[in-house]
Amino acid sequence: MWSKPQITPPADRPRLMLRQADIKQLRNTIKHVEMRDWYDRLLAFAPARSEDWVNLSMKGTLPVCYALESYSLQYLLDNHLQAGKHAVALALAAADRDFNPKLLDISREIGRLMLALAVVYDWCYKLLGEQEKKKLIASLKRLASLLECGYPPVHEGAFVGHTSEWMLMRDMMAAGIAIYGDDDEMYDYAAGRFLQEFLPARNFFYPSGWHHQGDNYGSYRYQADLFATWLFGRMGFNEVFDKSQEKIGYQWIYTRRPDGKLLRDGDTDNPLYEENHYIRLFPLVYLMAGNFYNNGYFLEQQQLEHSDIPDMYLFFAILFHNPQLAKKPIHELPLTRYFGEPAGIMVARTGWNNKNNMNKQANAAIVEMKIGMYQYNNHQHLDAGSFQIYYKGYLAIDSGIYKGSSGNYQSPHNKYYFKRTVAHNAMLVYDPNEAVEHPELLDGKLTWPNHPDGGQRWPGKGRAPKDLQELLGGEYERGKVLTHAFGPDSMEPDYSYLKGDITAAYSEKVKHYTRSFVFLNTKQQEIPALLIVLDSIESADKSFEKSWLLHSIEEPLVKGQRTVIARTEDGYSGELVVDTLLPKQATITSIGGNGKEFMVRGVNYRQDAPGTTEQGAWRIEVTPGVEAKHDLFLHVMQVKDHNGKPAPEVELIEFACGVASQATDQKNSPIAAIGAIVQDWLVLFCTSGQFGTEMIIPQLQRVECRRLLITDIKDGNWLIKIKQAGQITQEFKQSAAGGVLFLEQVEQGQIELERVRENER
């Protein structure tokens, strides 16, 4: 069992979500025009006539909770003695309510009642007799024993599962705070486990600013975390969580699409990605984080998503919202954000959304580039190294959906397709001898079986890590970021770069695998953005088939080495043009259509939920034409309007020892650098992983490249010489950082680069 918490509730009351010093401020706050309607609605939950409120005890749990909280707040704010007595009487009646703990998600209803009873116990404490206190304490313990987490709360791990939502961090914790001093046991259990297991688990991933459970469950569980933040904060412990908790909220600001939806992540039906309305997060996400951390961007997003508050969340909104805090416009934020360790994800945009309405024809392009360093399981997918693209429509998508009888948790669609690598824009390596596992019982619950689709492995056989120590034990590691950078302007970057090693995400069938992303914001109307992806992958056996995947909603058009993916239905008008530069003899296969939407090696794991357009129906698979252990895949993707001008041609560049060619290495020597010329950009990568201290880029014929991005280069100062006919026409120094060197307005000619020694000034 956990040691006794060092942080304990203060002796004075109230101490649950409010202190005496907060009451005066709240009395003023509810007079604000933004809050008056909320408070009036809360008052209406608690009828004044005794014959009405007595009947509440026979109604559903939520109306009872709303009434308990309303009565208690009236007693606290207005010294309304009768309201306080009503709260006590109703609490004593409701405390005997029966629940069937075997019902799905019943813990959420039980916990909500525990919280309301705790509010009455703490706020109306002076009105409770000794026997009434004993009854409420016994009832709270009885209710706690019905929760999924158990009492003591020993079930499930510290990272994921229903225990990581309300039941411990809000409901049991609140009850423990309320009865502490009269009975310390519940607080010691809840706070003891929270402080020793839940807190370090969250402080580990908070600095990344990314919640591993995605846009649906991630935002829901982040909201639950924020209750613990406020519970401790209102007791005077404002820094229980690491302050980087605040960063998590930016995840859904940056992945918000101009049409009002989100780039999809994890098990998601939030609520449906085909409905023509704004996809809203859970109502308290930005309200609680924005008010606690005084974050004006979050308060702006709260106003956009939830100018009004649903009944279920109204009580908490009144307690935690300060309408006088200033909002800040989202467009003040940088267009690229790196969600660092331990996530390793970058989101790059070309613009921000219209504040007041969604717009399917808005010009903002959004790209998500994911390395993904740890696998937490549960609602997280096997998607290390994946990417997504949006421009006037969802173009490169996360396929499948978490909905319907064939798409819910542990359904065939969910565990054999939707959660797996095959449903993402990632790489498959198919080992025909890879073991096929069947669902088995582990800790009394079904786990996720291995399935021979060529994708990434399930660490822990799908079981989530129980705590931080197990997560860091090696089994759950799936990748590491090698470098990242964006610039030269930090607010509106021309380039955004991310490179990682995701070998560990796969079984031993993959010996080495790095993926590099380069996003280019061209700041031009016709082709506003590009994404270049380089894969360097080595399999254990040359016969293992490698497949590069890209998923789409509408059917791809493949012509030679160019694939065109349009999004023209449902009012969208975007297009993605994909050029496969490497492998040179690649085969591009289009898979999908009726009866083949979710095909995995001959089996279609269908999804029966109607109207789910954005689950997709198509993908392309790019495979090498020649068997080899090591392969390079190089793709250039340009976004454009479907009816706009054709995308310009893209040229492959490769050279060694100072010789460049758009076709072959003319010296027949090892190729040191590869890259692409597109528009006026030349982007280069090193085939061996990193360039040395000297490099020569020969003059390229018939091409005018005004901007040059060299990746895989050592950080530090470099001397650049531009030569024509052997004569230096331009010479200057440039600094490389984050593994990239960016040059613009470069004159035509041979480019010689030499790294300046560290001791030179």
XYZ file of all heavy atoms in Angstrom, residues 515-581:
533
model
N 12.870 7.909 -40.131
C 11.965 8.662 -41.010
C 12.219 10.146 -40.791
O 12.303 10.620 -39.654
C 10.505 8.305 -40.738
C 9.500 9.181 -41.477
C 8.086 8.611 -41.480
N 7.868 7.786 -42.675
C 6.660 7.372 -43.098
N 5.578 7.667 -42.401
N 6.547 6.647 -44.196
N 12.344 10.881 -41.893
C 12.562 12.328 -41.866
C 11.387 13.027 -42.531
O 10.911 12.592 -43.594
C 13.851 12.702 -42.610
O 14.978 12.085 -42.027
N 10.925 14.112 -41.899
C 9.851 14.936 -42.449
C 10.382 16.344 -42.708
O 11.041 16.923 -41.841
C 8.692 15.073 -41.461
C 8.039 13.792 -41.028
C 8.410 13.191 -39.828
C 7.027 13.211 -41.778
C 7.782 12.038 -39.390
C 6.401 12.054 -41.347
C 6.777 11.461 -40.154
N 10.039 16.901 -43.848
C 10.280 18.318 -44.114
C 8.985 18.922 -44.627
O 8.465 18.508 -45.679
C 11.403 18.538 -45.143
C 11.483 20.014 -45.523
C 12.742 18.076 -44.589
N 8.450 19.862 -43.868
C 7.255 20.604 -44.278
C 7.708 21.971 -44.768
O 8.479 22.657 -44.089
C 6.297 20.760 -43.106
C 5.120 21.657 -43.391
C 4.001 21.171 -44.036
C 5.133 22.997 -43.005
C 2.904 21.996 -44.292
C 4.052 23.822 -43.257
C 2.930 23.325 -43.905
N 7.227 22.379 -45.936
C 7.576 23.674 -46.504
C 6.332 24.533 -46.636
O 5.343 24.121 -47.266
C 8.231 23.502 -47.884
C 9.519 22.664 -47.928
C 10.023 22.550 -49.356
C 10.588 23.260 -47.027
N 6.364 25.694 -46.019
C 5.315 26.695 -46.184
C 5.769 27.633 -47.291
O 6.611 28.507 -47.084
C 5.111 27.458 -44.876
C 4.013 28.501 -44.963
O 3.390 28.686 -46.010
N 3.777 29.194 -43.858
N 5.231 27.430 -48.492
C 5.707 28.190 -49.656
C 5.220 29.630 -49.639
O 5.774 30.471 -50.341
C 5.244 27.524 -50.950
O 3.819 27.648 -51.074
C 5.638 26.047 -50.983
N 4.141 29.886 -48.867
C 3.542 31.216 -48.813
C 3.110 31.684 -50.192
O 3.174 32.871 -50.517
C 4.504 32.196 -48.141
C 4.853 31.764 -46.716
C 5.925 32.591 -46.054
C 6.233 32.033 -44.655
N 7.365 32.707 -44.007
N 2.682 30.698 -50.982
C 2.155 30.967 -52.319
C 0.752 30.386 -52.415
O 0.446 29.355 -51.813
C 3.050 30.351 -53.398
C 4.453 30.927 -53.425
C 5.325 30.269 -54.476
O 4.840 29.504 -55.300
N 6.612 30.556 -54.439
N -0.092 31.008 -53.182
C -1.488 30.620 -53.241
C -1.697 29.306 -53.979
O -2.512 28.479 -53.568
C -2.309 31.729 -53.909
C -3.806 31.448 -53.935
C -4.604 32.625 -54.460
O -4.056 33.703 -54.683
N -5.893 32.421 -54.653
N -0.975 29.079 -55.065
C -1.263 27.918 -55.908
C -0.838 26.607 -55.255
O -1.570 25.621 -55.278
C -0.585 28.076 -57.270
C -1.169 29.224 -58.084
C -0.483 29.378 -59.416
O 0.542 28.679 -59.643
O -0.952 30.175 -60.238
N 0.368 26.568 -54.688
C 0.853 25.396 -53.950
C 1.302 25.900 -52.584
O 2.464 26.222 -52.369
C 2.029 24.695 -54.669
C 1.723 24.459 -56.134
C 2.378 23.384 -53.947
C 0.692 23.384 -56.389
N 0.394 26.006 -51.640
C 0.748 26.662 -50.369
C 1.670 25.864 -49.467
O 2.308 26.436 -48.594
C -0.617 26.864 -49.695
C -1.501 25.829 -50.297
C -1.039 25.644 -51.703
N 1.747 24.548 -49.661
C 2.553 23.751 -48.742
C 3.000 22.460 -49.400
O 2.363 21.942 -50.323
C 1.765 23.441 -47.474
N 4.129 21.923 -48.886
C 4.658 20.646 -49.338
C 5.092 19.841 -48.124
O 5.508 20.396 -47.112
C 5.880 20.822 -50.255
C 5.747 21.610 -51.546
C 6.105 23.067 -51.306
C 6.688 21.036 -52.599
N 5.020 18.544 -48.261
C 5.590 17.645 -47.269
C 6.496 16.656 -47.987
O 6.071 15.991 -48.943
C 4.507 16.884 -46.510
C 5.021 15.866 -45.484
C 5.778 16.559 -44.352
C 3.896 15.012 -44.922
N 7.735 16.573 -47.530
C 8.705 15.619 -48.077
C 9.014 14.608 -46.982
O 9.316 14.981 -45.847
C 9.993 16.331 -48.532
C 9.656 17.411 -49.568
C 10.989 15.332 -49.105
C 10.837 18.276 -49.959
N 8.922 13.333 -47.328
C 9.161 12.266 -46.361
C 10.224 11.324 -46.911
O 10.095 10.805 -48.027
C 7.877 11.470 -46.060
C 8.168 10.342 -45.072
C 6.793 12.385 -45.513
N 11.287 11.128 -46.124
C 12.349 10.188 -46.472
C 12.358 9.058 -45.459
O 12.411 9.293 -44.254
C 13.714 10.875 -46.476
C 14.910 9.921 -46.654
C 14.946 9.345 -48.064
C 16.225 10.608 -46.327
N 12.314 7.823 -45.964
C 12.420 6.639 -45.117
C 13.677 5.874 -45.475
O 13.920 5.574 -46.654
C 11.210 5.722 -45.329
C 9.911 6.374 -44.926
O 9.620 6.372 -43.732
O 9.203 6.897 -45.814
N 14.465 5.579 -44.463
C 15.635 4.713 -44.624
C 15.410 3.510 -43.724
O 15.457 3.615 -42.503
C 16.918 5.455 -44.226
O 18.040 4.595 -44.321
N 15.151 2.343 -44.348
C 14.706 1.194 -43.573
C 15.443 -0.072 -43.999
O 15.642 -0.333 -45.189
C 13.172 1.018 -43.705
C 12.690 -0.126 -42.820
C 12.737 0.846 -45.149
C 11.180 -0.127 -42.623
N 15.865 -0.832 -43.001
C 16.572 -2.090 -43.233
C 15.821 -3.216 -42.531
O 15.568 -3.163 -41.327
C 18.000 -2.019 -42.695
C 18.791 -3.307 -42.918
C 20.181 -3.261 -42.322
O 20.571 -2.190 -41.815
O 20.867 -4.307 -42.355
N 15.468 -4.227 -43.285
C 14.768 -5.385 -42.732
C 15.762 -6.488 -42.415
O 16.898 -6.505 -42.909
C 13.713 -5.885 -43.713
O 14.308 -6.227 -44.963
N 15.327 -7.440 -41.609
C 16.198 -8.559 -41.230
C 16.444 -9.500 -42.397
O 17.458 -10.196 -42.438
C 15.583 -9.317 -40.055
N 15.514 -9.510 -43.335
C 15.629 -10.396 -44.498
C 15.197 -9.616 -45.727
O 14.197 -8.893 -45.689
C 14.746 -11.627 -44.299
C 14.995 -12.710 -45.336
O 14.757 -12.441 -46.539
O 15.406 -13.821 -44.951
N 15.916 -9.759 -46.805
C 15.590 -8.988 -47.995
C 14.249 -9.370 -48.602
O 13.659 -8.599 -49.366
C 16.704 -9.124 -49.037
C 16.803 -10.494 -49.701
C 17.878 -10.489 -50.786
C 17.925 -11.824 -51.530
N 18.962 -11.806 -52.594
N 13.753 -10.559 -48.257
C 12.474 -11.001 -48.813
C 11.280 -10.384 -48.094
O 10.145 -10.508 -48.569
C 12.368 -12.527 -48.746
O 12.305 -12.973 -47.397
N 11.502 -9.722 -46.952
C 10.389 -9.116 -46.223
C 9.864 -7.920 -47.023
O 10.603 -6.966 -47.288
C 10.823 -8.659 -44.837
C 11.175 -9.782 -43.897
C 11.721 -9.510 -42.649
C 10.962 -11.113 -44.246
C 12.044 -10.532 -41.768
C 11.289 -12.144 -43.373
C 11.836 -11.855 -42.136
N 8.610 -7.967 -47.377
C 8.011 -6.931 -48.220
C 7.798 -5.640 -47.433
O 7.183 -5.642 -46.371
C 6.669 -7.426 -48.758
C 5.972 -6.419 -49.661
C 4.611 -6.919 -50.116
O 3.629 -6.698 -49.370
O 4.543 -7.544 -51.178
N 8.287 -4.545 -47.974
C 8.103 -3.229 -47.368
C 7.026 -2.479 -48.149
O 7.038 -2.470 -49.382
C 9.404 -2.436 -47.377
C 10.589 -3.163 -46.727
C 11.837 -2.311 -46.795
C 13.057 -3.058 -46.277
N 13.564 -4.067 -47.234
N 6.117 -1.839 -47.413
C 5.023 -1.102 -48.043
C 4.878 0.264 -47.391
O 4.687 0.363 -46.176
C 3.702 -1.868 -47.913
O 3.774 -3.128 -48.535
N 4.959 1.295 -48.203
C 4.760 2.681 -47.764
C 3.296 3.021 -47.989
O 2.771 2.868 -49.089
C 5.665 3.593 -48.574
C 5.740 5.024 -48.161
C 6.653 5.588 -47.332
C 4.886 6.093 -48.608
N 6.434 6.936 -47.222
C 5.351 7.279 -47.989
C 3.779 6.171 -49.455
C 4.741 8.521 -48.198
C 3.168 7.398 -49.655
C 3.651 8.558 -49.030
N 2.615 3.493 -46.931
C 1.165 3.666 -46.988
C 0.754 5.127 -46.978
O 1.353 5.949 -46.282
C 0.496 2.981 -45.793
C 0.805 1.509 -45.531
C 0.005 1.018 -44.325
C 0.502 0.656 -46.749
N -0.315 5.408 -47.721
C -0.973 6.705 -47.658
C -2.469 6.471 -47.843
O -2.901 5.923 -48.856
C -0.452 7.669 -48.718
C -0.816 9.143 -48.517
C 0.210 10.034 -49.225
C -2.207 9.481 -49.024
N -3.269 6.890 -46.841
C -4.711 6.649 -46.832
C -5.475 7.889 -47.279
O -5.075 9.020 -47.009
C -5.174 6.267 -45.431
C -4.705 4.915 -44.995
N -5.472 3.785 -45.139
C -3.547 4.512 -44.434
C -4.815 2.743 -44.670
N -3.637 3.156 -44.237
N -6.623 7.659 -47.930
C -7.440 8.762 -48.418
C -8.920 8.417 -48.325
O -9.296 7.250 -48.191
C -7.077 9.100 -49.869
O -7.346 7.993 -50.721
N -9.740 9.445 -48.418
C -11.191 9.261 -48.405
C -11.684 8.896 -49.802
O -12.481 7.972 -49.970
C -11.881 10.539 -47.895
C -11.493 10.794 -46.435
C -13.396 10.449 -48.041
C -11.957 12.129 -45.889
N -11.201 9.616 -50.796
C -11.611 9.368 -52.181
C -10.536 8.566 -52.915
O -9.389 8.483 -52.480
C -11.891 10.695 -52.874
C -13.024 11.481 -52.196
C -13.276 12.838 -52.829
O -12.984 13.001 -54.043
O -13.770 13.742 -52.118
N -10.916 7.990 -54.020
C -10.039 7.070 -54.745
C -8.814 7.787 -55.311
O -8.949 8.816 -55.990
C -10.801 6.394 -55.882
C -9.973 5.385 -56.652
C -10.758 4.653 -57.719
O -11.964 4.973 -57.895
O -10.174 3.763 -58.384
N -7.622 7.267 -55.075
C -6.411 7.866 -55.650
C -6.319 7.574 -57.152
O -6.757 6.516 -57.615
C -5.270 7.175 -54.897
C -5.913 6.348 -53.831
C -7.315 6.111 -54.229
N -5.746 8.505 -57.862
C -5.479 8.317 -59.288
C -3.978 8.144 -59.460
O -3.207 9.077 -59.212
C -5.975 9.518 -60.095
C -5.663 9.508 -61.597
C -6.313 8.316 -62.289
C -6.093 10.817 -62.252
N -3.545 6.948 -59.864
C -2.124 6.638 -60.007
C -1.765 6.664 -61.485
O -2.369 5.963 -62.302
C -1.789 5.258 -59.410
C -0.306 4.970 -59.554
C -2.210 5.197 -57.935
N -0.767 7.464 -61.824
C -0.286 7.549 -63.196
C 1.230 7.611 -63.157
O 1.806 8.630 -62.790
C -0.853 8.770 -63.904
C -0.500 8.812 -65.387
C -1.178 9.980 -66.087
C -0.854 9.995 -67.576
N -1.512 11.142 -68.273
N 1.872 6.484 -63.487
C 3.322 6.414 -63.391
C 3.741 6.484 -61.933
O 3.246 5.733 -61.096
N 4.644 7.392 -61.630
C 5.132 7.555 -60.269
C 4.463 8.724 -59.553
O 4.913 9.134 -58.491
C 6.651 7.761 -60.275
C 7.427 6.595 -60.878
C 7.132 5.284 -60.185
O 6.344 4.454 -60.667
N 7.760 5.074 -59.045
N 3.416 9.236 -60.142
C 2.657 10.333 -59.520
C 1.254 9.846 -59.164
O 0.569 9.229 -59.974
C 2.604 11.540 -60.438
C 1.660 12.644 -59.978
C 1.858 13.955 -60.712
N 2.999 14.710 -60.180
C 3.228 15.995 -60.443
N 2.412 16.680 -61.246
N 4.282 16.616 -59.929
N 0.833 10.165 -57.927
C -0.503 9.825 -57.440
C -1.228 11.110 -57.074
O -0.666 11.980 -56.399
C -0.426 8.915 -56.204
O 0.312 7.733 -56.524
C -1.816 8.534 -55.738
N -2.468 11.230 -57.528
C -3.280 12.404 -57.222
C -4.458 11.971 -56.354
O -5.204 11.058 -56.715
C -3.786 13.093 -58.497
C -4.697 14.270 -58.142
C -2.613 13.572 -59.341
N -4.585 12.623 -55.199
C -5.674 12.345 -54.266
C -6.496 13.619 -54.120
O -5.988 14.644 -53.659
C -5.130 11.905 -52.898
C -4.415 10.555 -53.028
C -6.249 11.825 -51.868
C -3.670 10.135 -51.785
N -7.751 13.560 -54.514
C -8.623 14.724 -54.451
C -9.609 14.565 -53.308
O -9.944 13.456 -52.895
C -9.370 14.906 -55.771
N -10.062 15.705 -52.798
C -11.158 15.722 -51.828
C -12.179 16.709 -52.355
O -12.091 17.923 -52.121
C -10.641 16.137 -50.448
C -11.725 16.093 -49.371
C -12.092 14.677 -48.976
N -13.078 14.657 -47.893
C -14.366 14.356 -48.060
N -14.828 14.056 -49.270
N -15.194 14.352 -47.033
N -13.146 16.195 -53.108
C -14.093 17.053 -53.812
C -15.518 16.892 -53.319
O -16.387 17.689 -53.678
C -14.059 16.744 -55.315
O -14.409 15.361 -55.520
C -12.672 16.994 -55.884
N -15.768 15.884 -52.502
C -17.118 15.647 -52.012
C -17.390 16.480 -50.765
O -16.474 17.015 -50.139
C -17.300 14.157 -51.695
C -17.056 13.253 -52.885
C -16.950 11.791 -52.488
O -16.869 11.501 -51.277
O -16.946 10.935 -53.389
N -18.671 16.595 -50.408
C -19.096 17.223 -49.148
C -18.659 18.677 -49.025
O -18.449 19.183 -47.920
C -18.563 16.428 -47.947
C -18.918 14.953 -48.020
O -20.086 14.658 -48.351
O -18.046 14.114 -47.750
N -18.490 19.353 -50.146
C -18.158 20.768 -50.115
C -16.684 21.095 -50.022
O -16.309 22.257 -49.868
N -15.814 20.091 -50.121
C -14.371 20.315 -50.071
C -13.797 20.463 -51.479
O -14.432 20.094 -52.466
C -13.684 19.169 -49.338
C -14.053 19.061 -47.873
C -15.010 18.137 -47.442
C -13.459 19.885 -46.922
C -15.355 18.035 -46.099
C -13.801 19.791 -45.583
C -14.748 18.865 -45.175
O -15.086 18.772 -43.845
N -12.554 20.962 -51.572
C -11.978 21.193 -52.907
C -10.458 21.088 -52.909
O -9.789 21.719 -53.722
C -12.389 22.577 -53.425
O -11.895 23.595 -52.565
N -9.879 20.298 -52.004
C -8.431 20.176 -51.936
C -7.898 19.026 -52.762
O -8.638 18.137 -53.215
N -6.585 19.043 -52.945
C -5.931 17.981 -53.723
C -4.507 17.787 -53.216
O -3.827 18.751 -52.850
C -5.913 18.341 -55.212
C -5.355 17.254 -56.107
C -5.497 17.604 -57.582
O -6.631 17.518 -58.101
O -4.484 18.000 -58.204
N -4.090 16.534 -53.210
C -2.736 16.166 -52.806
C -2.068 15.456 -53.975
O -2.589 14.458 -54.489
C -2.773 15.251 -51.588
C -1.426 14.806 -51.010
C -0.677 15.990 -50.414
C -1.623 13.719 -49.954
N -0.928 15.982 -54.409
C -0.162 15.383 -55.503
C 1.090 14.746 -54.905
O 1.910 15.432 -54.288
C 0.209 16.431 -56.562
C 1.037 15.790 -57.673
C -1.052 17.070 -57.137
N 1.213 13.442 -55.069
C 2.280 12.669 -54.438
C 3.219 12.138 -55.517
O 2.807 11.379 -56.393
C 1.697 11.485 -53.636
C 2.807 10.763 -52.876
C 0.605 11.950 -52.685
N 4.476 12.523 -55.431
C 5.501 12.011 -56.347
C 6.385 11.024 -55.605
O 7.003 11.366 -54.590
C 6.349 13.154 -56.909
C 5.591 13.968 -57.946
O 5.352 13.436 -59.036
O 5.226 15.125 -57.641
N 6.451 9.796 -56.126
C 7.331 8.771 -55.569
C 8.657 8.839 -56.308
O 8.755 8.447 -57.480
C 6.703 7.370 -55.720
O 5.447 7.344 -55.029
C 7.610 6.306 -55.153
N 9.699 9.345 -55.655
C 11.021 9.482 -56.268
C 11.884 8.250 -56.018
O 12.704 7.871 -56.857
C 11.715 10.730 -55.747
C 10.969 12.060 -55.959
C 11.815 13.226 -55.471
C 10.593 12.249 -57.425
